[in-house]
Amino acid sequence: MPRSGSAVRAAGLLAAVAVLVLVAAASIAVGSKSVSPAEVWHGLFHYSGTVTDVVVRDSRVPRTVLGLLVGISLGLAGAVMQALTRNPLAEPGILGVNAGAAAAVVSAVSFLGASTLREFVWYAFAGAALVSVLVYVLGGSRSATPVRLALAGTAASAALVGYINAVVLMDSKALDRLRFWTVGSLTSANADTVWQVLPFVAVGAVLALALGRPLNAMAMGDDTARALGAHLTRTRVAAMLAVTLLCGAATAACGPIVFVGLMVPHLARVLTGPDMRWTLAYSAVLSPVLLLGADVVGRVVTRPAELQVGIVTALIGGPVFIYLVRRRRMAQL
């Protein structure tokens, strides 16, 4: 039976990869200007500098690749946070990590004159790490419950979003520079953005995927995990480092995007069961499916204008979050 179960999960993962390929193809082909498969092929492999070739290779391919990297980052970060805190409501957006990264970037732009992604990334890392620690302390540290962490994260996010809005509104230059970034957007993607973010996402993703086995042990309780040989402190530090790398890179590249890290790990656990090794793998594939799909929807519903991907994921994620809270009876805890 275990072999059969693993075979089913492997087949499901391959199917998810196939869906991701189709969504990525749609992300390249669909937009304010639709591009035929033949034109996509020409732009990718026979670039000649035509308008369509430029749209495909210089705009949509970097945007799709960035969406892929950001989706992987948010999905893995959400899955790791939920396992680490044993909190089904944990997610970089809900626990304030994305807002911390965004607040640090906005402060750097407005007060320190930061203007490049290379600078944004380091400020985003610092903001994400500080807010992670703050929410953990406010939530009660080792005695934290899922709802206390969610409340602490929500309070921190609300305060930080208010701060971000105040800074941006008072600084017209920052407003112009960050108008779309603050709501979560892939519109500014280019090849430089992809290459600057890629190393951080790669390291964070490898670190997160390597935590599957120790997180499985920690799910049984600290005492059992120690008996099984898990190093709890090392696992927690590695998990927070992975989350900081993933969330910092994703937020620096395209702004705070919420709910992706909440929805996808839940779906992954429905498909795979509690084994974190499979949950992490499924989250890494299904999250970019959701993010790229939301980006495509945002381009289509208001064509020829665009609805930013962060707004689309929020519109989808709000009802899903309410459903999860009611289904798990968290409201009265």
Side-chain angles (χ1 to χ4, degrees), residues 87-98:
N87 179 0
L89 302 182
E91 190 260 350
I94 293 172
L95 294 189
V97 179
N98 285 349

Side-chain angles (χ1 to χ4, degrees), residues 63-88:
R63 181 170 182 162
T64 300
V65 175
L66 184 63
L68 177 68
L69 294 176
V70 171
I72 291 172
S73 298
L74 296 177
L76 287 176
V80 169
M81 291 180 77
Q82 289 175 15
L84 184 67
T85 61
R86 299 172 199 161
N87 179 0

Side-chain angles (χ1 to χ4, degrees), residues 19-102:
V19 173
L20 177 57
V21 171
L22 292 175
V23 174
S27 177
I28 296 173
V30 177
S32 56
K33 172 182 171 58
S34 293
V35 181
S36 69
E39 290 173 320
V40 170
W41 182 267
H42 187 276
L44 291 175
F45 302 106
H46 304 284
Y47 186 86
S48 61
T50 65
V51 173
T52 302
D53 287 351
V54 171
V55 168
V56 170
R57 183 178 289 190
D58 297 339
S59 178
R60 294 199 185 161
V61 168
R63 181 170 182 162
T64 300
V65 175
L66 184 63
L68 177 68
L69 294 176
V70 171
I72 291 172
S73 298
L74 296 177
L76 287 176
V80 169
M81 291 180 77
Q82 289 175 15
L84 184 67
T85 61
R86 299 172 199 161
N87 179 0
L89 302 182
E91 190 260 350
I94 293 172
L95 294 189
V97 179
N98 285 349

Side-chain angles (χ1 to χ4, degrees), residues 104-115 120 123 171 173-175 177-178:
V105 171
V106 168
S107 298
V109 170
S110 184
F111 304 126
L112 302 177
S115 59
F120 289 1
Y123 289 109
D171 187 339
K173 292 183 179 178
L175 175 62
R177 193 175 303 165
L178 300 171

Side-chain angles (χ1 to χ4, degrees), residues 227-326:
L228 293 172
H231 298 276
L232 301 186
T233 300
R234 188 168 67 189
T235 300
R236 290 190 176 106
V237 170
M240 290 312 300
L241 177 59
V243 168
T244 300
L245 285 171
L246 293 168
C247 293
T251 304
C254 59
I257 296 177
V258 297
F259 290 122
V260 174
L262 173 69
M263 293 182 283
V264 175
H266 277 281
L267 175 59
R269 280 193 294 274
V270 169
L271 297 173
T272 68
D275 190 335
M276 281 300 299
R277 293 170 297 180
W278 286 104
T279 298
L280 288 166
Y282 269 73
S283 296
V285 175
L286 293 176
S287 292
V289 170
L290 173 60
L291 190 67
L292 289 175
D295 189 42
V296 171
V297 169
R299 294 184 227 170
V300 171
V301 295
T302 58
R303 186 184 289 178
E306 292 187 13
L307 192 62
Q308 305 307 315
V309 66
I311 297 174
V312 178
T313 58
L315 290 173
I316 297 171
V320 172
F321 178 69
I322 294 171
Y323 167 75
L324 290 173
V325 171
R326 292 179 61 85

Side-chain angles (χ1 to χ4, degrees), residues 184-258:
S185 173
L186 296 174
T187 55
S188 61
N190 55 48
D192 289 339
T193 304
V194 171
W195 285 113
Q196 290 178 28
V197 168
L198 179 59
F200 301 106
V201 175
V203 173
V206 170
L207 188 57
L209 291 169
L211 290 171
R213 193 178 297 275
L215 288 175
N216 279 342
M218 289 180 65
M220 303 178 190
D222 288 358
D223 293 336
T224 302
R226 288 192 189 95
L228 293 172
H231 298 276
L232 301 186
T233 300
R234 188 168 67 189
T235 300
R236 290 190 176 106
V237 170
M240 290 312 300
L241 177 59
V243 168
T244 300
L245 285 171
L246 293 168
C247 293
T251 304
C254 59
I257 296 177
V258 297

